[in-house]
PDB file of all heavy atoms in Angstrom:
ATOM      1  N   ASP G   1     124.122 102.341 -19.291  1.00 97.00           N
ATOM      2  CA  ASP G   1     124.843 103.176 -18.322  1.00 97.00           C
ATOM      3  C   ASP G   1     125.449 104.361 -19.056  1.00 97.00           C
ATOM      4  O   ASP G   1     125.224 104.558 -20.255  1.00 97.00           O
ATOM      5  CB  ASP G   1     125.923 102.355 -17.600  1.00 97.00           C
ATOM      6  CG  ASP G   1     126.885 101.671 -18.553  1.00 97.00           C
ATOM      7  OD1 ASP G   1     127.372 102.356 -19.486  1.00 97.00           O
ATOM      8  OD2 ASP G   1     127.149 100.459 -18.400  1.00 97.00           O
ATOM      9  N   ARG G   2     126.235 105.167 -18.367  1.00 97.00           N
ATOM     10  CA  ARG G   2     126.754 106.415 -18.925  1.00 97.00           C
ATOM     11  C   ARG G   2     128.088 106.259 -19.651  1.00 97.00           C
ATOM     12  O   ARG G   2     128.624 107.250 -20.152  1.00 97.00           O
ATOM     13  CB  ARG G   2     126.939 107.437 -17.792  1.00 97.00           C
ATOM     14  CG  ARG G   2     125.686 108.110 -17.291  1.00 97.00           C
ATOM     15  CD  ARG G   2     125.092 109.110 -18.266  1.00 97.00           C
ATOM     16  NE  ARG G   2     126.023 110.045 -18.838  1.00 97.00           N
ATOM     17  CZ  ARG G   2     125.673 111.084 -19.603  1.00 97.00           C
ATOM     18  NH1 ARG G   2     124.396 111.301 -19.860  1.00 97.00           N
ATOM     19  NH2 ARG G   2     126.567 111.888 -20.110  1.00 97.00           N
ATOM     20  N   ARG G   3     128.621 105.066 -19.763  1.00 97.00           N
ATOM     21  CA  ARG G   3     129.966 104.942 -20.340  1.00 97.00           C
ATOM     22  C   ARG G   3     130.011 105.450 -21.783  1.00 97.00           C
ATOM     23  O   ARG G   3     130.854 106.300 -22.121  1.00 97.00           O
ATOM     24  CB  ARG G   3     130.436 103.486 -20.269  1.00 97.00           C
ATOM     25  CG  ARG G   3     130.868 103.036 -18.868  1.00 97.00           C
ATOM     26  CD  ARG G   3     131.261 101.575 -18.860  1.00 97.00           C
ATOM     27  NE  ARG G   3     130.116 100.719 -19.213  1.00 97.00           N
ATOM     28  CZ  ARG G   3     130.206  99.415 -19.404  1.00 97.00           C
ATOM     29  NH1 ARG G   3     131.360  98.795 -19.315  1.00 97.00           N
ATOM     30  NH2 ARG G   3     129.120  98.708 -19.698  1.00 97.00           N
ATOM     31  N   ILE G   4     129.155 104.922 -22.632  1.00 97.00           N
ATOM     32  CA  ILE G   4     129.161 105.368 -24.029  1.00 97.00           C
ATOM     33  C   ILE G   4     128.670 106.810 -24.154  1.00 97.00           C
ATOM     34  O   ILE G   4     129.302 107.622 -24.858  1.00 97.00           O
ATOM     35  CB  ILE G   4     128.355 104.403 -24.911  1.00 97.00           C
ATOM     36  CG1 ILE G   4     129.079 103.052 -25.005  1.00 97.00           C
ATOM     37  CG2 ILE G   4     128.138 104.990 -26.307  1.00 97.00           C
ATOM     38  CD1 ILE G   4     128.337 101.986 -25.783  1.00 97.00           C
ATOM     39  N   PRO G   5     127.563 107.195 -23.508  1.00 97.00           N
ATOM     40  CA  PRO G   5     127.175 108.604 -23.569  1.00 97.00           C
ATOM     41  C   PRO G   5     128.276 109.570 -23.139  1.00 97.00           C
ATOM     42  O   PRO G   5     128.498 110.596 -23.796  1.00 97.00           O
ATOM     43  CB  PRO G   5     125.965 108.667 -22.618  1.00 97.00           C
ATOM     44  CG  PRO G   5     125.350 107.311 -22.730  1.00 97.00           C
ATOM     45  CD  PRO G   5     126.524 106.376 -22.844  1.00 97.00           C
ATOM     46  N   ASP G   6     128.985 109.251 -22.058  1.00 97.00           N
ATOM     47  CA  ASP G   6     130.070 110.131 -21.610  1.00 97.00           C
ATOM     48  C   ASP G   6     131.161 110.242 -22.670  1.00 97.00           C
ATOM     49  O   ASP G   6     131.688 111.336 -22.930  1.00 97.00           O
ATOM     50  CB  ASP G   6     130.672 109.610 -20.306  1.00 97.00           C
ATOM     51  CG  ASP G   6     129.772 109.872 -19.105  1.00 97.00           C
ATOM     52  OD1 ASP G   6     128.858 110.701 -19.216  1.00 97.00           O
ATOM     53  OD2 ASP G   6     129.985 109.222 -18.057  1.00 97.00           O
ATOM     54  N   ALA G   7     131.489 109.106 -23.274  1.00 97.00           N
ATOM     55  CA  ALA G   7     132.538 109.108 -24.300  1.00 97.00           C
ATOM     56  C   ALA G   7     132.098 109.910 -25.528  1.00 97.00           C
ATOM     57  O   ALA G   7     132.894 110.673 -26.101  1.00 97.00           O
ATOM     58  CB  ALA G   7     132.876 107.670 -24.699  1.00 97.00           C
ATOM     59  N   MET G   8     130.837 109.775 -25.918  1.00 97.00           N
ATOM     60  CA  MET G   8     130.358 110.491 -27.096  1.00 97.00           C
ATOM     61  C   MET G   8     130.257 111.985 -26.840  1.00 97.00           C
ATOM     62  O   MET G   8     130.555 112.804 -27.730  1.00 97.00           O
ATOM     63  CB  MET G   8     129.002 109.927 -27.541  1.00 97.00           C
ATOM     64  CG  MET G   8     129.078 108.486 -28.041  1.00 97.00           C
ATOM     65  SD  MET G   8     127.549 107.895 -28.803  1.00 97.00           S
ATOM     66  CE  MET G   8     127.617 108.720 -30.398  1.00 97.00           C
ATOM     67  N   GLU G   9     129.864 112.359 -25.628  1.00 96.00           N
ATOM     68  CA  GLU G   9     129.705 113.780 -25.338  1.00 96.00           C
ATOM     69  C   GLU G   9     131.028 114.535 -25.297  1.00 96.00           C
ATOM     70  O   GLU G   9     131.041 115.767 -25.367  1.00 96.00           O
ATOM     71  CB  GLU G   9     128.945 113.970 -24.018  1.00 96.00           C
ATOM     72  CG  GLU G   9     127.448 113.720 -24.167  1.00 96.00           C
ATOM     73  CD  GLU G   9     126.675 114.025 -22.905  1.00 96.00           C
ATOM     74  OE1 GLU G   9     127.303 114.133 -21.825  1.00 96.00           O
ATOM     75  OE2 GLU G   9     125.433 114.142 -22.993  1.00 96.00           O
ATOM     76  N   GLU G  10     132.134 113.809 -25.238  1.00 96.00           N
ATOM     77  CA  GLU G  10     133.438 114.472 -25.282  1.00 96.00           C
ATOM     78  C   GLU G  10     133.658 115.188 -26.609  1.00 96.00           C
ATOM     79  O   GLU G  10     134.400 116.176 -26.670  1.00 96.00           O
ATOM     80  CB  GLU G  10     134.559 113.449 -25.043  1.00 96.00           C
ATOM     81  CG  GLU G  10     134.641 112.960 -23.599  1.00 96.00           C
ATOM     82  CD  GLU G  10     135.804 112.001 -23.400  1.00 96.00           C
ATOM     83  OE1 GLU G  10     136.629 111.858 -24.338  1.00 96.00           O
ATOM     84  OE2 GLU G  10     135.891 111.386 -22.319  1.00 96.00           O
ATOM     85  N   THR G  11     133.023 114.692 -27.671  1.00 96.00           N
ATOM     86  CA  THR G  11     133.238 115.286 -28.999  1.00 96.00           C
ATOM     87  C   THR G  11     131.973 115.866 -29.610  1.00 96.00           C
ATOM     88  O   THR G  11     132.006 116.398 -30.715  1.00 96.00           O
ATOM     89  CB  THR G  11     133.812 114.234 -29.966  1.00 96.00           C
ATOM     90  OG1 THR G  11     132.948 113.087 -29.993  1.00 96.00           O
ATOM     91  CG2 THR G  11     135.210 113.810 -29.544  1.00 96.00           C
ATOM     92  N   MET G  12     130.845 115.776 -28.902  1.00 95.00           N
ATOM     93  CA  MET G  12     129.572 116.289 -29.431  1.00 95.00           C
ATOM     94  C   MET G  12     129.285 117.672 -28.853  1.00 95.00           C
ATOM     95  O   MET G  12     129.178 117.827 -27.643  1.00 95.00           O
ATOM     96  CB  MET G  12     128.414 115.341 -29.069  1.00 95.00           C
ATOM     97  CG  MET G  12     128.471 114.011 -29.758  1.00 95.00           C
ATOM     98  SD  MET G  12     127.155 112.886 -29.172  1.00 95.00           S
ATOM     99  CE  MET G  12     125.700 113.703 -29.856  1.00 95.00           C
ATOM    100  N   PRO G  13     129.150 118.695 -29.698  1.00 91.00           N
ATOM    101  CA  PRO G  13     128.800 120.025 -29.175  1.00 91.00           C
ATOM    102  C   PRO G  13     127.358 120.043 -28.687  1.00 91.00           C
ATOM    103  O   PRO G  13     126.498 119.303 -29.166  1.00 91.00           O
ATOM    104  CB  PRO G  13     128.974 120.942 -30.392  1.00 91.00           C
ATOM    105  CG  PRO G  13     128.818 120.040 -31.575  1.00 91.00           C
ATOM    106  CD  PRO G  13     129.340 118.699 -31.159  1.00 91.00           C
ATOM    107  N   GLU G  14     127.073 120.896 -27.700  1.00 91.00           N
ATOM    108  CA  GLU G  14     125.714 121.026 -27.175  1.00 91.00           C
ATOM    109  C   GLU G  14     124.908 121.952 -28.086  1.00 91.00           C
ATOM    110  O   GLU G  14     125.377 123.017 -28.478  1.00 91.00           O
ATOM    111  CB  GLU G  14     125.744 121.591 -25.761  1.00 91.00           C
ATOM    112  CG  GLU G  14     126.368 120.649 -24.734  1.00 91.00           C
ATOM    113  CD  GLU G  14     126.450 121.289 -23.357  1.00 91.00           C
ATOM    114  OE1 GLU G  14     127.126 122.324 -23.239  1.00 91.00           O
ATOM    115  OE2 GLU G  14     125.843 120.747 -22.421  1.00 91.00           O
ATOM    116  N   ILE G  15     123.681 121.570 -28.392  1.00 89.00           N
ATOM    117  CA  ILE G  15     122.834 122.379 -29.262  1.00 89.00           C
ATOM    118  C   ILE G  15     122.095 123.440 -28.456  1.00 89.00           C
ATOM    119  O   ILE G  15     122.031 124.600 -28.846  1.00 89.00           O
ATOM    120  CB  ILE G  15     121.833 121.485 -30.027  1.00 89.00           C
ATOM    121  CG1 ILE G  15     122.578 120.381 -30.791  1.00 89.00           C
ATOM    122  CG2 ILE G  15     120.992 122.327 -30.973  1.00 89.00           C
ATOM    123  CD1 ILE G  15     123.623 120.876 -31.755  1.00 89.00           C
ATOM    124  N   PHE G  16     121.504 123.036 -27.337  1.00 87.00           N
ATOM    125  CA  PHE G  16     120.790 123.984 -26.472  1.00 87.00           C
ATOM    126  C   PHE G  16     121.402 123.921 -25.067  1.00 87.00           C
ATOM    127  O   PHE G  16     120.836 123.339 -24.146  1.00 87.00           O
ATOM    128  CB  PHE G  16     119.301 123.638 -26.414  1.00 87.00           C
ATOM    129  CG  PHE G  16     118.592 123.764 -27.729  1.00 87.00           C
ATOM    130  CD1 PHE G  16     117.891 122.691 -28.265  1.00 87.00           C
ATOM    131  CD2 PHE G  16     118.623 124.948 -28.436  1.00 87.00           C
ATOM    132  CE1 PHE G  16     117.236 122.801 -29.477  1.00 87.00           C
ATOM    133  CE2 PHE G  16     117.971 125.077 -29.656  1.00 87.00           C
ATOM    134  CZ  PHE G  16     117.276 123.996 -30.178  1.00 87.00           C
ATOM    135  N   PRO G  17     122.575 124.523 -24.885  1.00 83.00           N
ATOM    136  CA  PRO G  17     123.272 124.396 -23.600  1.00 83.00           C
ATOM    137  C   PRO G  17     122.517 125.011 -22.427  1.00 83.00           C
ATOM    138  O   PRO G  17     122.715 124.593 -21.284  1.00 83.00           O
ATOM    139  CB  PRO G  17     124.594 125.126 -23.850  1.00 83.00           C
ATOM    140  CG  PRO G  17     124.328 126.028 -25.012  1.00 83.00           C
ATOM    141  CD  PRO G  17     123.336 125.323 -25.857  1.00 83.00           C
ATOM    142  N   GLU G  18     121.665 126.003 -22.696  1.00 77.00           N
ATOM    143  CA  GLU G  18     120.924 126.643 -21.601  1.00 77.00           C
ATOM    144  C   GLU G  18     119.738 125.797 -21.158  1.00 77.00           C
ATOM    145  O   GLU G  18     119.584 125.480 -19.978  1.00 77.00           O
ATOM    146  CB  GLU G  18     120.423 128.021 -22.048  1.00 77.00           C
ATOM    147  CG  GLU G  18     121.507 129.058 -22.239  1.00 77.00           C
ATOM    148  CD  GLU G  18     120.915 130.364 -22.732  1.00 77.00           C
ATOM    149  OE1 GLU G  18     120.352 130.397 -23.842  1.00 77.00           O
ATOM    150  OE2 GLU G  18     121.014 131.362 -21.997  1.00 77.00           O
ATOM    151  N   SER G  19     118.887 125.424 -22.127  1.00 81.00           N
ATOM    152  CA  SER G  19     117.629 124.767 -21.783  1.00 81.00           C
ATOM    153  C   SER G  19     117.716 123.250 -21.783  1.00 81.00           C
ATOM    154  O   SER G  19     116.902 122.580 -21.139  1.00 81.00           O
ATOM    155  CB  SER G  19     116.526 125.201 -22.761  1.00 81.00           C
ATOM    156  OG  SER G  19     116.881 124.870 -24.092  1.00 81.00           O
ATOM    157  N   SER G  20     118.692 122.688 -22.497  1.00 87.00           N
ATOM    158  CA  SER G  20     118.782 121.226 -22.587  1.00 87.00           C
ATOM    159  C   SER G  20     120.239 120.803 -22.724  1.00 87.00           C
ATOM    160  O   SER G  20     120.672 120.331 -23.776  1.00 87.00           O
ATOM    161  CB  SER G  20     117.955 120.725 -23.776  1.00 87.00           C
ATOM    162  OG  SER G  20     117.776 119.333 -23.725  1.00 87.00           O
ATOM    163  N   PRO G  21     121.029 120.966 -21.669  1.00 90.00           N
ATOM    164  CA  PRO G  21     122.459 120.641 -21.760  1.00 90.00           C
ATOM    165  C   PRO G  21     122.691 119.151 -21.970  1.00 90.00           C
ATOM    166  O   PRO G  21     121.880 118.314 -21.576  1.00 90.00           O
ATOM    167  CB  PRO G  21     123.000 121.107 -20.406  1.00 90.00           C
ATOM    168  CG  PRO G  21     121.816 121.089 -19.489  1.00 90.00           C
ATOM    169  CD  PRO G  21     120.645 121.442 -20.335  1.00 90.00           C
ATOM    170  N   GLY G  22     123.816 118.847 -22.598  1.00 94.00           N
ATOM    171  CA  GLY G  22     124.153 117.447 -22.853  1.00 94.00           C
ATOM    172  C   GLY G  22     123.399 116.893 -24.042  1.00 94.00           C
ATOM    173  O   GLY G  22     122.562 117.556 -24.650  1.00 94.00           O
ATOM    174  N   SER G  23     123.696 115.626 -24.381  1.00 96.00           N
ATOM    175  CA  SER G  23     123.089 114.985 -25.545  1.00 96.00           C
ATOM    176  C   SER G  23     122.391 113.674 -25.211  1.00 96.00           C
ATOM    177  O   SER G  23     121.997 112.931 -26.119  1.00 96.00           O
ATOM    178  CB  SER G  23     124.168 114.721 -26.614  1.00 96.00           C
ATOM    179  OG  SER G  23     124.726 115.931 -27.080  1.00 96.00           O
ATOM    180  N   PHE G  24     122.228 113.383 -23.919  1.00 97.00           N
ATOM    181  CA  PHE G  24     121.574 112.138 -23.500  1.00 97.00           C
ATOM    182  C   PHE G  24     120.650 112.429 -22.315  1.00 97.00           C
ATOM    183  O   PHE G  24     120.936 113.304 -21.492  1.00 97.00           O
ATOM    184  CB  PHE G  24     122.608 111.075 -23.110  1.00 97.00           C
ATOM    185  CG  PHE G  24     123.428 110.592 -24.274  1.00 97.00           C
ATOM    186  CD1 PHE G  24     124.561 111.290 -24.674  1.00 97.00           C
ATOM    187  CD2 PHE G  24     123.061 109.451 -24.976  1.00 97.00           C
ATOM    188  CE1 PHE G  24     125.319 110.859 -25.757  1.00 97.00           C
ATOM    189  CE2 PHE G  24     123.805 109.018 -26.051  1.00 97.00           C
ATOM    190  CZ  PHE G  24     124.938 109.710 -26.450  1.00 97.00           C
ATOM    191  N   THR G  25     119.549 111.683 -22.254  1.00 97.00           N
ATOM    192  CA  THR G  25     118.561 111.858 -21.189  1.00 97.00           C
ATOM    193  C   THR G  25     118.237 110.496 -20.577  1.00 97.00           C
ATOM    194  O   THR G  25     118.032 109.512 -21.311  1.00 97.00           O
ATOM    195  CB  THR G  25     117.275 112.500 -21.749  1.00 97.00           C
ATOM    196  OG1 THR G  25     117.591 113.791 -22.271  1.00 97.00           O
ATOM    197  CG2 THR G  25     116.218 112.639 -20.671  1.00 97.00           C
ATOM    198  N   TYR G  26     118.165 110.464 -19.262  1.00 97.00           N
ATOM    199  CA  TYR G  26     117.851 109.209 -18.561  1.00 97.00           C
ATOM    200  C   TYR G  26     116.341 108.991 -18.545  1.00 97.00           C
ATOM    201  O   TYR G  26     115.565 109.890 -18.213  1.00 97.00           O
ATOM    202  CB  TYR G  26     118.381 109.261 -17.130  1.00 97.00           C
ATOM    203  CG  TYR G  26     118.076 108.020 -16.323  1.00 97.00           C
ATOM    204  CD1 TYR G  26     118.682 106.799 -16.630  1.00 97.00           C
ATOM    205  CD2 TYR G  26     117.179 108.072 -15.265  1.00 97.00           C
ATOM    206  CE1 TYR G  26     118.396 105.660 -15.886  1.00 97.00           C
ATOM    207  CE2 TYR G  26     116.891 106.941 -14.511  1.00 97.00           C
ATOM    208  CZ  TYR G  26     117.507 105.735 -14.837  1.00 97.00           C
ATOM    209  OH  TYR G  26     117.215 104.615 -14.111  1.00 97.00           O
TER     210      TYR G  26
END
């Protein structure tokens, strides 16, 4: 589920915010 991904994304900068936002994919 998204609990750990959401928590990790609080401190992880986005590398490609335009073309691939976030750091996890379903």
Side-chain angles (χ1 to χ4, degrees):
D1 55 47
R2 283 289 312 187
R3 285 177 297 173
I4 292 176
D6 285 344
M8 294 189 76
E9 284 185 344
E10 288 183 9
T11 55
M12 292 175 69
E14 293 177 299
I15 305 303
F16 296 124
E18 290 178 297
S19 59
S20 193
S23 297
F24 293 85
T25 298
Y26 179 68

